[in-house]
Amino acid sequence: MTNDIYSSLNKIIKNASSVCFFGGAGVSTNSGLLDFRSKEGLYNLKSKYNRSYEEMLSIDYFLEDTKTFYEFYREFMIKDDVLPNKAHLALAKFENEYHNLSIVTQNIDNLHQLGGSNNVIEVHGSIYRNYCMNCFKKYGLDVIKKSNGVPKCSCGGVIRPEVTLYGEALNSRAWMDACNTFHNAEVLIIGGTSLHVYPAADLIRYYRGKCLIIINKEETPYDSYADFVFHEDIGEVLEKLLEI
């Protein structure tokens, strides 16, 4: 894209009454995290277990073999030593300066908040929130990291992540907040997601705004509906789009 297009979009975004950024795993890959569906993504790695990694992220597998689920989860899903990258930082800087940006994320890594964003809706939950399946006592991440095997509550119940696994419904409050954010957005920026994960990808149906921008290295099913499409590095594009 030319600098003129970036400049024009920057003005549109700054002058919009509300902007929604909807992001997926590709937002965090520059921080060292794996995405899921790309050629180098988690689901294309050879599994160390008797199930694919995609299957292991299901509620059925969690209930069937909780111990092995946690072996996998600790190795591949708990990455609390990574830092926000330029995409997270650009979004936070823009939000703090213009106050018209809301973030709806499919990620569970908390990197938007660590980068300084405040208005974040996590439709798939967070690795930092966990709870007992018996008494619903809440726990932080350390109880998962420091436990061996299946983490247990003081009441004896199994502790599970407050993360939406395949086969589970999304948190109803987060879903409604996300739907309202999409519906009220004048500008929608979609980044780092294949738009193949449902029901989260259905959120785009609630958008009624004026300018749809998609940033993803690979094509998405909604590219033809977008006003602008960038198949480039998301951090570099966001820095230019949101330049203050």
Side-chain angles (χ1 to χ4, degrees):
M1 292 288 181
T2 66
N3 289 334
D4 287 343
I5 291 176
Y6 279 114
S7 179
S8 297
L9 285 175
N10 182 257
K11 291 177 182 177
I12 291 172
I13 295 168
K14 286 179 179 178
N15 292 326
S17 58
S18 58
V19 180
C20 173
F21 175 81
F22 178 52
V27 178
S28 297
T29 52
N30 286 341
S31 292
L33 298 181
L34 291 173
D35 65 8
F36 294 96
R37 289 176 169 78
S38 72
K39 292 179 181 179
E40 297 80 24
L42 179 65
Y43 296 162
N44 286 311
L45 297 181
K46 182 176 176 57
S47 176
K48 298 165 56 176
Y49 305 93
N50 62 353
R51 300 287 183 86
S52 70
Y53 292 147
E54 186 170 10
E55 288 179 282
M56 294 178 74
L57 280 174
S58 69
I59 185 60
D60 288 342
Y61 189 83
F62 174 84
L63 297 173
E64 173 189 327
D65 191 347
T66 310
K67 182 177 182 293
T68 307
F69 170 89
Y70 269 113
E71 290 179 13
F72 157 76
Y73 185 80
R74 289 186 182 97
E75 179 176 359
F76 290 100
M77 306 306 293
I78 295 180
K79 303 292 183 182
D80 61 335
D81 57 345
V82 297
L83 297 174
N85 60 55
K86 62 175 65 176
H88 302 105
L89 298 177
L91 289 163
K93 184 178 180 182
F94 188 89
E95 177 195 334
N96 292 326
E97 181 73 19
Y98 285 89
H99 312 292
N100 65 344
L101 175 68
S102 299
I103 294 172
V104 178
T105 181
Q106 299 173 79
N107 296 340
I108 59 175
D109 52 37
N110 201 51
L111 287 177
H112 283 295
Q113 292 91 327
L114 290 174
S117 292
N118 297 301
N119 194 9
V120 182
I121 301 167
E122 297 168 313
V123 292
H124 291 156
S126 171
I127 62 169
Y128 288 84
R129 298 192 299 272
N130 305 273
Y131 65 92
C132 172
M133 298 176 69
N134 182 45
C135 71
F136 300 103
K137 181 178 179 180
K138 296 184 181 298
Y139 289 89
L141 183 59
D142 280 351
V143 71
I144 307 295
K145 291 178 59 179
K146 295 179 179 179
S147 60
N148 293 316
V150 179
K152 295 292 185 68
C153 175
S154 55
C155 79
V158 172
I159 298 172
R160 65 153 290 174
E162 193 176 304
V163 169
T164 303
L165 302 173
Y166 290 120
E168 292 187 297
L170 300 184
N171 177 279
S172 58
R173 177 60 184 273
W175 177 254
M176 288 304 301
D177 287 346
C179 290
N180 290 331
T181 300
F182 268 66
H183 180 76
N184 294 325
E186 185 176 336
V187 173
L188 174 60
I189 305 171
I190 297 176
T193 174
S194 65
L195 293 174
H196 284 296
V197 179
Y198 291 88
D202 279 331
L203 285 167
I204 196 170
R205 296 188 296 111
Y206 294 88
Y207 177 60
R208 299 290 185 271
K210 299 177 180 179
C211 184
L212 171 59
I213 303 165
I214 294 180
I215 311 164
N216 199 55
K217 286 188 175 180
E218 299 176 358
E219 292 183 2
T220 80
Y222 289 91
D223 281 9
S224 61
Y225 298 97
D227 297 289
F228 298 91
V229 177
F230 298 84
H231 293 306
E232 302 170 39
D233 180 86
I234 187 169
E236 294 177 4
V237 174
L238 283 176
E239 281 190 331
K240 294 177 183 178
L241 283 182
L242 305 179
E243 184 178 1
I244 298 175

